[in-house]
Amino acid sequence: MRDVSMVGVGQVPVGEHWDMSLRQLALGAIQAAQADAGIEQVDAVIVANALGGNLSSQNHLGALIAEYAGLPGAEAFRVEAADASGGVALRQGYLAVASGAVDTVLVVGVEKATDRTGSERDTSLATVLDADFEAARGATPSGIAALLMQRYMYEYGVALDQFEAFSINAHANGALNPFAMYRNKLKPGAFAKAPVLAPPVNLFDSAPEGDGAAAVIMTTTDRALDAVPRPVRVRGSAMATDTLALHNRPDLLFLRAVNLAAGRAYEQAAIRPTDIDLAELHDSYTILSALQLEAAGFAARGEGWKRAQDGGITREGALPVSTFGGLKARGNPLGATGVYQAVEIALQLRRAAGENQVPNARIGLALSIGGIGSTAVAHVLERVE
């Protein structure tokens, strides 16, 4: 297998882009990544998207976006894995280059979520769950997250306000990020008082869906070192799955797919969790942040929430998390989220994160999950000196 590095990254702000189509959002991120890498032509285009057919009435995104981006003849296809689509697309791009099948690949995640509202959007979001046993009975991602949070609070005696540090940190970082959907700060004490979505999940506990696109260009590390001054190496990449339906899991409070994916990525990278300098978690709900920290080896069972206490996950903390606002403040562009995570870590490792910079970051972990943990993808990214 060949060594793989990122040579270009690009993104557009997450928001309500009513004046832009799916292809236009993708083009903005692609052109930014091409300019960053100084590369126009690529061998393959991999598009990450979760709900284009439902929310944008558009499937077959590979050919659509390759044509619109001026990349005729390129191998192009779409990857779908619910809200883990971006992470899975990155892994497919990594494998394509590492295997020698292609030399240069463009991975772009794109989602158009805000054109649909209310029950129409909720119905589309429910398609990431088990249609026969969950969605058919009215379950939604927020409802599933609420079940997990209720059980966690009961099992470990955790109060609702003890989760607030995750959201406070995300909003503090998002306030500095010009690409974030929400740039307001969250005051201590406001978290537990927010309007309830599905008890105990509330408005400040969940990440809002938004429109967005992010792109990464990858090639071999040998080529990367000749192409750009600060490539970011993919030191580890792994993916795993668990049962789609929550009721089929033997342990509701253990994200087995996260544990397997992170463990495999650590093994490939020859590191331990203690070697990670920052992590971008899939914080669509705060309970998922706590569970990911536990499953990925950063905290003991029932103690993931403690990592957020006393500034432990801030940019100056022991393990910076959601350094650009995460899904909570940057916004959740669904299938594009995993690509945004990689872009954000790359900027951190290149010392190009501006006001969001984590001091002396060298190794970062991008952890993307889909279908409330039924799919997990872990990427260990390293600064190339």
Side-chain angles (χ1 to χ4, degrees):
M1 298 284 278
R2 302 190 298 181
D3 215 35
V4 180
S5 288
M6 299 177 181
V7 291
V9 298
Q11 59 182 321
V12 300
V14 179
E16 297 180 332
H17 294 289
W18 294 322
D19 59 338
M20 297 181 71
S21 67
L22 197 71
R23 72 186 82 190
Q24 289 172 322
L25 286 170
L27 180 63
I30 290 170
Q31 290 179 332
Q34 289 172 319
D36 186 46
I39 294 174
E40 293 186 2
Q41 294 300 314
V42 297
D43 301 316
V45 178
I46 302 177
V47 182
N49 176 267
L51 298 174
N54 301 73
L55 298 178
S56 301
S57 301
Q58 181 68 67
N59 284 317
H60 200 53
L61 296 180
L64 177 81
I65 290 174
E67 175 202 359
Y68 197 67
L71 298 169
E75 177 179 347
F77 57 92
R78 172 194 176 194
V79 167
E80 183 279 313
D83 29 352
S85 299
V88 175
L90 282 168
R91 173 149 174 79
Q92 298 310 304
Y94 162 80
L95 290 173
V97 175
S99 68
V102 301
D103 289 325
T104 305
V105 63
L106 166 71
V107 177
V108 57
V110 61
E111 201 76 61
K112 195 87 166 70
T114 66
D115 285 353
R116 312 286 178 154
T117 59
S119 61
E120 192 173 7
R121 190 192 300 179
D122 289 340
T123 299
S124 295
L125 289 170
T127 63
V128 308
L129 306 176
D130 189 309
D132 294 330
F133 296 102
E134 293 179 323
R137 287 157 177 79
T140 63
S142 294
I144 296 296
L147 291 174
L148 290 174
M149 196 170 192
Q150 284 182 344
R151 189 66 189 178
Y152 190 96
M153 292 168 66
Y154 172 79
E155 289 284 350
Y156 301 120
V158 182
L160 181 60
D161 60 3
Q162 290 177 300
F163 289 95
E164 75 170 7
F166 287 107
S167 291
I168 290 174
N169 172 68
H171 277 272
N173 291 334
L176 303 174
N177 178 11
F179 293 91
M181 187 173 183
Y182 292 99
R183 303 186 64 189
N184 59 305
K185 294 184 178 181
L186 190 63
K187 295 180 180 179
F191 179 86
K193 299 176 183 178
V196 174
L197 300 179
V201 170
N202 63 43
L203 193 64
F204 291 163
D205 183 49
S206 62
E209 294 86 32
D211 309 330
V216 168
I217 296 176
M218 291 186 284
T219 187
T220 64
T221 299
D222 287 342
R223 289 172 178 262
L225 289 170
D226 292 333
V228 295
R230 298 180 304 277
V232 172
R233 178 189 176 205
V234 183
R235 185 164 167 178
S237 173
M239 176 182 172
T241 57
D242 198 351
T243 67
L244 180 56
L246 199 66
H247 65 260
N248 283 333
R249 299 180 193 176
D251 188 340
L252 293 181
L253 299 181
F254 182 66
L255 297 180
R256 179 173 177 269
V258 170
N259 181 259
L260 291 173
R264 292 167 184 169
Y266 296 154
E267 184 176 4
Q268 181 184 350
I271 64 167
R272 298 179 179 181
T274 51
D275 295 317
I276 300 293
D277 297 316
L278 75 150
E280 293 299 330
L281 305 178
H282 196 100
D283 58 340
S284 51
Y285 302 95
T286 56
I287 183 59
L288 295 182
S289 293
L291 292 176
Q292 285 169 86
L293 287 170
E294 294 170 19
F298 296 110
R301 296 287 301 274
E303 296 185 359
W305 62 275
K306 293 182 179 180
R307 289 302 303 254
Q309 308 304 302
D310 301 321
I313 61 171
T314 65
R315 296 191 309 280
E316 296 76 25
L319 180 67
V321 167
S322 301
T323 62
F324 283 83
L327 285 71
K328 179 65 190 71
R330 182 239 297 134
N332 180 11
L334 301 171
T337 291
V339 186
Y340 272 95
Q341 290 177 324
V343 169
E344 290 164 352
I345 291 181
L347 292 174
Q348 291 286 2
L349 301 184
R350 286 161 46 171
R351 311 289 192 265
E355 292 185 272
N356 293 91
Q357 186 65 56
V358 171
N360 303 316
R362 191 177 63 86
I363 299 177
L365 173 69
L367 192 54
S368 182
I369 63 175
I372 309 292
S374 58
T375 298
V377 193
H379 290 98
V380 175
L381 305 178
E382 178 185 44
R383 175 184 172 88
V384 178
E385 301 293 348

